[in-house]
């Protein structure tokens, strides 16, 4: 009450003051008796606070958010009875408190919930009262109060003021006036610009989660395959990413962009596919146009603004520092992500971004995080004041802090950076957050009005639509530039630092546990290493590595994104999916299984076949065939032999290895592909060779048998030739004898033949037809047959 009376024009009139004192005495007598009966005076505050939360007072709008002379302040909201009894004879009042001189006072007021008569101001006499005859349980009642700035009793020099809306009334159990509900907010008032305005840098983050898989279509364009179609929902009008661009254009902010988001939307705009069970289907034309539209909007929005490109896919620096360093090669992921950032943003948005900034999660740092952040070339690390603290200072120092070695910590203000976290959907929550943000910025300027300082605001990475709207409202509230002026992040990092500001990086043990619990585990980085090693081995055999290395390499970068925090199972599934895609490709170049072989003889060739199912030729492979027992079977005169191999796309290629046997038995053979640097490629293939060696004696017997067969064939041919010659001579002699007899005998009648004639006829040889077989087998011999002769029986 005394605080309210200290402001000119805010005290009540004498008549009303007398009336209220009378009522206070009348109402206070029973309370005084109660206090005498219960001597503990400290019980008053809790009871008062509890009663004052019977009605939920909601301040939904306050306009203008930062008034000047001549303005009229309008407050709207609702009163909702949350108690168990109806409220009667209620009045709604506006309360304006004293000027606050520090940020700590703002914090104290913001934390206060119930009404406190010893700290809350009296109702403002100049403001109209709203009468509510009855407010039933659960019923809401809207209110609207408008007061000219000149009637608020504000200091001409300006400052931050508490502004509250309260409801006073009675219930059936307490039939006397008391405050049953109150809500407070802040009214920053600076009618004239300050001499030194705070340079304010507001980061406008544009990031999303990982959407593109490691897979691509088999067409010439290598159409990317998306894990899902969720990105399209964010790009729709009213979607999260659409709202961020729509709200951000025209605001004096620094755009902080994850290049992976740009690459993903650009891929969608040029045609994409979406996983569908075991395959994938084409993305819709409507979604393609959404992506195209969003990129066009963003390109216009960033023109003339500073753009900061984080490493590709926004890698989790804390996870990398605390777990990834234990796995060899993990820092190479960060290096490749940093190198890719600038070219991606420049290609898609046609602006030159700053790429020397690193942003750990929530700006929490320790020595290991700083070391990792700077290892890839970042010389400016965005930290936060609840990590690098300035407990010994009574004011807010400039953000830039030189740490030595060319590294600068840009320390964002923790309170301003977290001002719009949480649920901003309710109008009341958003309005209170905006007013407190504006009040805090004015308080920073008034802390050291003779000095100009630079303050950085680094909000949450992926603000919701409601959070982005509240952020935009707050930035617009500073548009008059009466106590702040905008400054981009690059310039803020170069501002002359405050010599008294802390440059001490907290120890690793001070890193927040809640953040450490959400980090990627060591196993995640082991999985990344395994996939990266397989990719390195695979790319050296490809004639067109660009079809594989960029999509898989980018997917590996996405595996260590900060977007996986709080989504451990989804992160693990994504890592498995990336490796499965790569292994499906590597297994397209394989050794064809062989069945067991039999080797008869001293030497032979053993074929081994390599199959290439890829859409491109493979080269730079070496096929090695090894014998498990070179004493029994050698390959090219040694225990193993290597032969280079090139296989065309979609074809198979067989390689023949010379082999020589020394002894009979089984020998296990192993075929293995290697890259040119000697790294095994794929799984080995084994088969068995059975050696059946031919000795000299066996070879001599076989040769003799063959010779005998040849001689027998020659003899049979000669015999057939002689028989044919004899038959020809006999036929010629017969023809010669018949012809003279026919000429010398006179013609005579034929006489019947007698018995003797039959005998003669039988003794006379019959004429043979030329086609009859030769019956002459030659004179028989009584000598035994030679072994090579065939004897007919």
């Amino acid at each position: 009450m005394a605080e309210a009376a200290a402001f000119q024009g805010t005290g009540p009139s004498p008549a009303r003051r007398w009336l209220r004192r009378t009522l206070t005495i009348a109402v206070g007598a029973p309370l005084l008796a109660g206090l005498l009966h219960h001597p503990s005076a400290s019980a008053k505050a809790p009871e008062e606070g509890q009663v004052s939360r019977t009605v939920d007072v909601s301040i939904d709008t306050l306009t203008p958010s930062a008034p000047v002379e001549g303005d009229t302040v309008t407050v709207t909201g609702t009163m909702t009875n949350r108690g168990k009894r109806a409220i009667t004879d209620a009045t709604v009042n506006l309360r304006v408190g004293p000027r606050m001189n520090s940020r700590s006072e703002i914090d104290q007021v913001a934390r206060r919930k119930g009404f406190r008569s010893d700290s809350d101001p009296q109702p403002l006499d100049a403001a109209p009262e709203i009468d509510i005859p009855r407010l039933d349980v659960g019923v809401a009642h809207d209110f609207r109060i408008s007061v000219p700035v000149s009637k608020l009793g504000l200091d001409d020099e300006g400052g931050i003021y508490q502004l509250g809306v309260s409801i006073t009334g009675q219930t059936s159990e307490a039939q006397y006036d008391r405050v049953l509900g109150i809500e407070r907010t802040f009214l920053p008032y600076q009618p004239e610009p300050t001499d030194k305005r705070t340079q304010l840098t507001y980061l406008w983050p544009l990031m999303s989660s990982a959407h593109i898989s490691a897979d691509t279509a088999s067409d010439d364009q290598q159409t990317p395959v998306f894990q899902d179609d969720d990105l399209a929902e964010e790009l729709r009008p009213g979607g999260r990413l659409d709202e961020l661009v729509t709200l951000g254009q025209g605001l004096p902010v620094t755009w902080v962009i994850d290049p992976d988001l740009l690459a993903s939307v650009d891929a969608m705009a040029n045609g994409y596919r979406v996983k569908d069970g075991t395959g994938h289907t084409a993305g819709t034309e409507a979604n393609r146009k959404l992506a195209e539209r969003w990129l066009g909007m963003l390109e216009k929005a960033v023109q003339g603004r500073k753009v900061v490109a984080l490493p590709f896919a926004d890698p989790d620096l804390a996870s990398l520092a605390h777990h990834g360093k234990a796995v060899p090669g993990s820092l190479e992921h960060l290096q490749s992500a940093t190198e890719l950032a600038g070219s991606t943003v420049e290609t898609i948005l046609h602006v030159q971004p700053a790429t020397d900034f690193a942003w750990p999660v929530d700006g929490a740092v320790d020595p290991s995080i700083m070391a990792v952040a700077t290892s890839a070339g970042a010389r400016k690390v965005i930290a936060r004041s609840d990590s690098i603290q300035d407990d010994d200072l009574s004011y807010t120092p400039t953000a830039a802090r030189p740490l030595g070695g060319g590294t600068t910590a840009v320390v964002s203000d923790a309170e301003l950076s977290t001002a719009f976290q949480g649920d901003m959907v309710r109008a009341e929550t958003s309005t209170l957050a905006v007013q407190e943000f504006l009040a805090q910025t004015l308080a920073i300027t008034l802390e050291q009005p003779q000095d100009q300082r630079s303050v950085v605001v680094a909000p949450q990475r992926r603000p919701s639509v409601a959070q982005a709207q509240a952020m935009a409202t707050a930035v617009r509230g500073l548009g008059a530039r009466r106590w702040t002026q905008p400054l981009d992040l690059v310039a803020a990092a170069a501002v002359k630092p405050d010599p008294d500001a802390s440059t001490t990086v907290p120890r690793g043990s001070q890193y927040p546990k809640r953040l450490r619990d959400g980090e990627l585990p060591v196993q995640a980085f082991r999985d990344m290493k395994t996939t990266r090693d397989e990719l390195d081995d695979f790319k050296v055999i490809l004639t067109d590595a660009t079809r594989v290395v960029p999509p898989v390499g980018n997917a590996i970068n996405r595996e260590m994104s900060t977007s996986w925090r709080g989504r451990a199972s989804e992160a693990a599934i994504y890592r498995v999916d990336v490796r499965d895609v790569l292994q499906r490709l590597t297994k397209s170049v394989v050794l064809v299984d062989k069945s067991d072989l039999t080797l008869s003889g001293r030497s032979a060739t053993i074929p081994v076949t390599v199959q290439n199912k890829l859409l491109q030729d493979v080269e730079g492979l070496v096929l090695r065939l090894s014998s498990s027992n070179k004493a029994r079977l050698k390959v090219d005169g040694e225990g193993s032999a290597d032969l280079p191999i090139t296989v065309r796309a979609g074809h198979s290629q067989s390689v023949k290895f010379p082999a020589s046997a020394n002894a009979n038995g089984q020998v296990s053979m192993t075929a293995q592909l290697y890259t040119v640097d000697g790294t095994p490629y794929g799984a080995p293939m084994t088969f068995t060779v059975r050696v059946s060696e031919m000795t000299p004696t066996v070879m001599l017997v076989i040769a003799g048998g063959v010779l005998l067969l040849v001689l027998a064939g020659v003899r049979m041919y000669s015999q057939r030739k002689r028989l044919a010659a004899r038959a020809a001579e006999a036929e010629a002699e017969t023809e010669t004898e018949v012809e003279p007899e026919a000429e010398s005998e006179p013609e005579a009648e034929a006489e019947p033949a007698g018995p003797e004639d039959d005998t003669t006829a039988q003794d006379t040889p019959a004429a043979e037809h030329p086609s009859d077989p030769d019956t002459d087998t030659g004179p028989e011999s009584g000598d035994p047959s030679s072994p090579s002769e065939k004897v007919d029986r």
Side-chain angles (χ1 to χ4, degrees), residues 397-408:
T398 288
R401 318 284 175 89
L403 301 180
T407 302
T408 299

Side-chain angles (χ1 to χ4, degrees), residues 49 188 244 672 686 747:
L244 280 169
Q672 173 68 64
T686 60
E747 295 182 359

